Amino acid sequence: MENIYISGTGYWKADEIVTNDELVASFNSYVERFNNENKLEIEAGAIKPLGLSSVEFIEKASGIKTRYLIDKKNCLDIDVMKPVLRQESSENISILAEMSVHAAKEALNQAGIEAKDVDAVILGTSHSARNYPAVACEVMDELGIEGYGYDMLIGCSSTTFAISNAYSDIASGLANTVLVINPELTSPHNDFTLRDSHFIFGDACVASVIQKNSTSEHRVKILDRKLVTKFSSNIRSDFGYLNVVEENPRDQKDLFFKQNGKSVFKEVCPMVANLITDQLQAANLEASDISQFWLHQANSNMCRFIMTKILGTSDYDPKMAPMILGDFGNVASAGSLLSFHLNNHLEKGDKGIICSFGAGYSICSLIIEKE
Amino acid sequence: MENIYISGTGYWKADEIVTNDELVASFNSYVERFNNENKLEIEAGAIKPLGLSSVEFIEKASGIKTRYLIDKKNCLDIDVMKPVLRQESSENISILAEMSVHAAKEALNQAGIEAKDVDAVILGTSHSARNYPAVACEVMDELGIEGYGYDMLIGCSSTTFAISNAYSDIASGLANTVLVINPELTSPHNDFTLRDSHFIFGDACVASVIQKNSTSEHRVKILDRKLVTKFSSNIRSDFGYLNVVEENPRDQKDLFFKQNGKSVFKEVCPMVANLITDQLQAANLEASDISQFWLHQANSNMCRFIMTKILGTSDYDPKMAPMILGDFGNVASAGSLLSFHLNNHLEKGDKGIICSFGAGYSICSLIIEKE
């Protein structure tokens, strides 16, 4: 079988940075107003008061310091507490396609190829903007790509699973060059009024070119893939087209992102560490053969737990497991590849692991090597 | 490369059949009441009267005679005109997973394998029930399948594209056996108050087992795949998670399935005929080498147009291009494979084509052979 490479990567982020200070100031104003407006009911025990957030709480719980949001003003406005976006319609390019095109251009440029060289576009995301037509087709149209494309969904592993699908299509002879795009517009589905999660997400997009026979200086060879999913509702959103016909309609906010964070930590971390350990063993590699790990960027404590379990020690150089979470927040499936894009220090012959994990549950680990 | 087969197929359909007579009686009652209630405004020219439907109109326009719906009573009740379904939550199996499990069991049985033999589950649908966790993971859990799974979306080509993905994963060495499932619960997204489309859709699900080295008597070898997508908004739904944050919120019904039927006919039919003709030529085959064509079941006139263009004559045995549309209506991406499942008359050495087409636009044609 011929060698298959990630030959270029690119990204998009929202324009506006939001600090924890700004987010906490907004959230606490919202809480104080709520508690004040409901003072009598709270005193009577009919309503629970809302708790305040703090920069310290956010940083300890997650490691996140800033994030980029598509509509900072409205997300921080206590009368709105959500982004307000233009209407999606056939008259305009969709927002997800716009993010994707931006990231794709950088990836094509790094790979040293043009849109006409691409045979297929696979769009993987944790949040599909619409059912049809697939956003992948729209991106092809915007970039002038002929071939085939589709959208796929597997939570925060959507980027690595999509790269795996690209690899399979190339290895099977269906395509030579596949553009993978992963728009993650998370803020519309984040409830900015919830203390335990209002700080988690950021808006971003990554793109990658998967090719055989690349000559790009950025190329890394994909040596191995390992994918697993195991059903859990501990990370769940029930938003979908069936809501419209439910016998007991729910408030939209009940359908947003919900997480049982403690269970996720307890269940997913060992799964990830074991999967990578098994994968290394099957590939006749030691953990010490891996120069860098670009892990899913959901929580710095999760990453530390996983690295410690794989390496057998918590005493490792932070450069081995670069964290972009502090700057970007959790950008869903884009996190592990964005970490790779911004912090790839592999030298010739070095090996690395890009590993996603999240809703599904889903895990995908890719062993790569710099040629 | 080893041979890769469709080794078994299965399906689910909704329990209740709805005839054109029943549908037209309900629709016309709705129209008459609307026109009566708005009599003054209609006479003043402020509101346009609604037009009546008829069995003749439906059969001439589409070829559809009956369809199966998940909630006949409410779809025909002029005070409801939509299905009313149980609430989706982590407490119950989702409706799409339930349909999928039913179809999957038949496919596994035909293939002569058990759930434990399956390495992956790919769920392709034109309507995703939720963003996460992927319904594919839930189906794996229900059936006891270990491995990986994900959901994918490419309109009415979701079944054939998912089969192609399964083929790629097997050919690339990632899996030996993949279960493909395609639940199409169309009625919740169909506006039963629109004369031009109220009759089109039915609820169904198909499943298929894609394997290397099958010994199933039902197996057909996949000889070739050809996929293409070309962006169009002529079949479109803008329903999605971004609706919640749009600056000008819309009525849910504006976000349902919309189609510019004439443009779709004019643009898609020649694309499909040309793609199949090119595919046959590249495979050194003539149209006369193909014993049966199982085409996407959207419209009998489209199928006749495509067959006539491929064969060069409209004088062909109807068994060559089996139609299940009359009985089932348009069951979205499940149509072409359901036609194959119910009407596969290939004998040893015979070749056939399974071809989907629809929103995206998207087309996928699979050449198969009975061993």
Side-chain angles (χ1 to χ4, degrees):
Chain A
M1 196 176 285
E2 286 167 286
N3 291 331
I4 296 174
Y5 300 91
I6 302 173
S7 58
T9 51
Y11 83 115
W12 170 94
K13 64 171 170 51
D15 287 336
E16 299 176 299
I17 195 165
V18 179
T19 66
N20 284 344
D21 277 326
E22 292 171 312
L23 201 65
V24 167
S26 156
F27 180 84
N28 286 350
S29 297
Y30 171 83
V31 166
E32 281 160 10
R33 187 179 67 175
F34 178 91
N35 289 348
N36 201 37
E37 285 177 353
N38 295 282
K39 205 176 172 187
L40 294 178
E41 292 90 334
I42 289 170
E43 282 171 4
I47 291 182
K48 276 192 180 173
L50 296 181
L52 295 170
S53 188
S54 76
V55 172
E56 297 68 35
F57 160 70
I58 293 173
E59 293 189 3
K60 191 178 171 199
S62 70
I64 298 166
K65 294 182 175 175
T66 61
R67 75 286 295 146
Y68 295 86
L69 297 180
I70 198 166
D71 184 4
K72 175 177 182 170
K73 180 175 159 288
N74 283 304
C75 290
L76 296 185
D77 181 338
I78 63 169
D79 292 321
V80 188
M81 299 293 263
K82 64 179 186 181
V84 179
L85 303 179
R86 69 170 185 259
Q87 191 168 289
E88 297 272 273
S89 83
S90 56
E91 305 298 310
N92 302 309
I93 182 172
S94 70
I95 300 170
L96 265 64
E98 203 168 29
M99 297 158 61
S100 300
V101 164
H102 186 105
K105 284 181 176 169
E106 186 183 5
L108 293 171
N109 190 42
Q110 265 207 5
I113 63 167
E114 294 176 52
K116 67 174 174 49
D117 301 319
V118 175
D119 302 314
V121 172
I122 303 176
L123 184 149
T125 179
S126 61
H127 290 93
S128 177
R130 63 173 179 246
N131 280 312
Y132 47 85
V135 178
C137 303
E138 190 180 358
V139 174
M140 292 173 71
D141 193 51
E142 289 290 331
L143 290 170
I145 293 171
E146 292 185 2
Y148 64 91
Y150 61 87
D151 295 350
M152 60 183 287
L153 289 162
I154 182 67
C156 287
S157 291
S158 297
T159 297
T160 45
F161 270 58
I163 291 173
S164 173
N165 278 16
Y167 184 104
S168 288
D169 276 359
I170 294 169
S172 74
L174 191 63
N176 291 322
T177 302
V178 181
L179 172 65
V180 172
I181 43 179
N182 310 98
E184 291 289 5
L185 194 63
T186 62
S187 58
H189 228 217
N190 185 27
D191 188 342
F192 286 92
T193 70
L194 293 182
R195 180 178 175 273
D196 285 350
S197 53
H198 74 110
F199 55 85
I200 294 181
F201 294 103
D203 297 324
C205 178
V206 290
S208 51
V209 175
I210 316 302
Q211 277 193 281
K212 65 177 180 189
N213 305 329
S214 167
T215 54
S216 162
E217 59 175 312
H218 295 280
R219 74 184 184 279
V220 291
K221 188 160 68 180
I222 300 174
L223 296 183
D224 190 60
R225 307 172 279 166
K226 194 168 172 71
L227 290 70
V228 75
T229 53
K230 188 167 175 51
F231 184 58
S232 167
S233 289
N234 283 329
I235 310 169
R236 185 166 173 121
S237 155
D238 274 307
F239 180 88
Y241 81 111
L242 298 178
N243 302 148
V244 183
V245 297
E246 280 181 359
E247 54 192 345
N248 301 310
R250 286 174 279 187
D251 188 85
Q252 292 278 9
K253 280 199 173 178
D254 290 341
L255 303 166
F256 282 13
F257 166 81
K258 291 274 182 306
Q259 175 170 262
N260 183 344
K262 280 182 188 163
S263 298
V264 171
F265 192 103
K266 217 172 71 179
E267 291 167 14
V268 171
C269 290
M271 275 176 73
V272 174
N274 292 338
L275 179 140
I276 291 176
T277 301
D278 290 350
Q279 183 185 27
L280 288 171
Q281 195 171 7
N284 286 317
L285 293 170
E286 305 284 335
S288 57
D289 294 325
I290 305 299
S291 304
Q292 287 193 283
F293 294 78
W294 301 277
L295 302 181
H296 174 53
Q297 299 288 303
N299 184 296
S300 54
N301 301 319
M302 288 185 91
C303 291
R304 263 193 299 278
F305 181 100
I306 292 165
M307 287 299 295
T308 301
K309 196 147 191 295
I310 294 170
L311 300 175
T313 170
S314 61
D315 182 26
Y316 60 89
D317 182 348
K319 277 187 192 158
M320 269 191 81
M323 297 299 294
I324 58 140
L325 179 75
D327 294 337
F328 289 86
N330 180 341
V331 289
S333 84
S336 51
L337 197 73
L338 183 54
S339 179
F340 167 79
H341 177 73
L342 297 174
N343 296 291
N344 167 15
H345 304 302
L346 296 189
E347 304 282 346
K348 191 173 155 59
D350 285 353
K351 293 182 184 64
I353 281 183
I354 302 171
C355 182
S356 66
F357 41 88
Y361 299 133
S362 58
I363 309 173
C364 174
S365 175
L366 305 170
I367 307 180
I368 58 169
E369 183 179 46
K370 179 88 180 163
E371 280 203 330
Chain B
M1 195 178 285
E2 284 167 286
N3 292 332
I4 297 174
Y5 300 90
I6 301 173
S7 58
T9 51
Y11 83 115
W12 170 94
K13 65 170 169 55
D15 287 336
E16 298 175 299
I17 195 166
V18 179
T19 65
N20 284 344
D21 276 328
E22 292 170 311
L23 201 64
V24 167
S26 156
F27 180 83
N28 286 350
S29 297
Y30 171 83
V31 165
E32 280 159 11
R33 187 179 67 175
F34 178 91
N35 290 347
N36 200 38
E37 285 177 353
N38 295 283
K39 203 175 172 186
L40 293 177
E41 292 90 335
I42 288 169
E43 284 171 2
I47 291 182
K48 275 192 182 173
L50 296 180
L52 295 169
S53 189
S54 75
V55 172
E56 297 68 35
F57 160 70
I58 293 173
E59 294 191 1
K60 192 177 170 198
S62 69
I64 298 166
K65 294 181 176 177
T66 61
R67 75 284 298 146
Y68 295 85
L69 297 179
I70 197 165
D71 183 4
K72 175 177 182 172
K73 181 174 158 289
N74 283 305
C75 291
L76 296 185
D77 181 337
I78 64 169
D79 292 321
V80 188
M81 300 292 264
K82 64 179 185 181
V84 179
L85 303 180
R86 70 171 185 257
Q87 192 168 288
E88 298 272 273
S89 83
S90 55
E91 305 300 310
N92 302 309
I93 182 172
S94 70
I95 300 170
L96 263 65
E98 202 167 30
M99 296 159 60
S100 299
V101 164
H102 186 106
K105 284 180 176 168
E106 186 182 4
L108 292 170
N109 191 42
Q110 265 207 4
I113 64 168
E114 293 176 53
K116 67 174 174 51
D117 302 318
V118 176
D119 303 313
V121 172
I122 303 176
L123 183 149
T125 178
S126 60
H127 290 93
S128 176
R130 63 175 180 244
N131 281 311
Y132 46 85
V135 178
C137 303
E138 189 179 0
V139 173
M140 291 172 70
D141 192 52
E142 289 290 331
L143 289 170
I145 293 171
E146 293 185 2
Y148 64 92
Y150 61 87
D151 294 351
M152 61 183 287
L153 289 162
I154 182 67
C156 287
S157 291
S158 297
T159 297
T160 45
F161 269 59
I163 291 173
S164 174
N165 278 15
Y167 183 104
S168 288
D169 276 359
I170 295 168
S172 74
L174 191 64
N176 291 322
T177 302
V178 181
L179 172 65
V180 172
I181 44 177
N182 310 97
E184 291 290 4
L185 194 63
T186 63
S187 59
H189 227 217
N190 186 26
D191 187 342
F192 285 92
T193 71
L194 293 182
R195 180 178 176 274
D196 286 351
S197 53
H198 73 110
F199 54 86
I200 294 180
F201 294 104
D203 297 325
C205 178
V206 291
S208 51
V209 175
I210 316 302
Q211 276 192 282
K212 65 177 180 189
N213 306 328
S214 166
T215 53
S216 162
E217 59 174 312
H218 295 280
R219 74 184 183 279
V220 291
K221 187 159 70 178
I222 300 175
L223 296 183
D224 190 61
R225 307 172 281 166
K226 194 167 172 70
L227 290 70
V228 75
T229 54
K230 187 166 176 52
F231 183 58
S232 167
S233 288
N234 282 329
I235 310 169
R236 186 168 174 121
S237 155
D238 275 305
F239 180 88
Y241 81 111
L242 298 178
N243 304 147
V244 182
V245 297
E246 281 182 358
E247 54 192 345
N248 302 307
R250 286 174 280 186
D251 187 83
Q252 293 277 11
K253 280 200 173 178
D254 291 341
L255 303 166
F256 282 14
F257 165 81
K258 290 277 181 305
Q259 174 170 262
N260 183 344
K262 280 182 188 164
S263 297
V264 171
F265 192 103
K266 217 171 71 178
E267 291 166 13
V268 171
C269 291
M271 274 175 72
V272 174
N274 292 338
L275 180 140
I276 291 176
T277 301
D278 290 350
Q279 183 184 27
L280 288 171
Q281 196 172 3
N284 286 317
L285 293 170
E286 305 284 336
S288 57
D289 294 325
I290 305 299
S291 303
Q292 286 193 285
F293 295 78
W294 302 276
L295 303 181
H296 173 53
Q297 301 288 303
N299 183 297
S300 54
N301 300 318
M302 288 184 90
C303 292
R304 263 193 299 278
F305 181 99
I306 292 164
M307 286 300 293
T308 300
K309 199 149 189 294
I310 294 170
L311 299 175
T313 171
S314 61
D315 182 25
Y316 61 89
D317 182 347
K319 278 186 191 159
M320 270 190 82
M323 297 299 296
I324 57 137
L325 179 75
D327 294 340
F328 288 86
N330 180 341
V331 289
S333 84
S336 50
L337 196 74
L338 183 54
S339 179
F340 167 80
H341 178 73
L342 297 173
N343 295 289
N344 167 15
H345 304 303
L346 296 188
E347 303 283 346
K348 190 174 157 59
D350 285 353
K351 294 181 183 66
I353 281 183
I354 302 171
C355 182
S356 66
F357 40 88
Y361 300 133
S362 59
I363 309 172
C364 175
S365 176
L366 306 170
I367 306 180
I368 58 170
E369 184 179 46
K370 179 87 180 163
E371 279 201 330

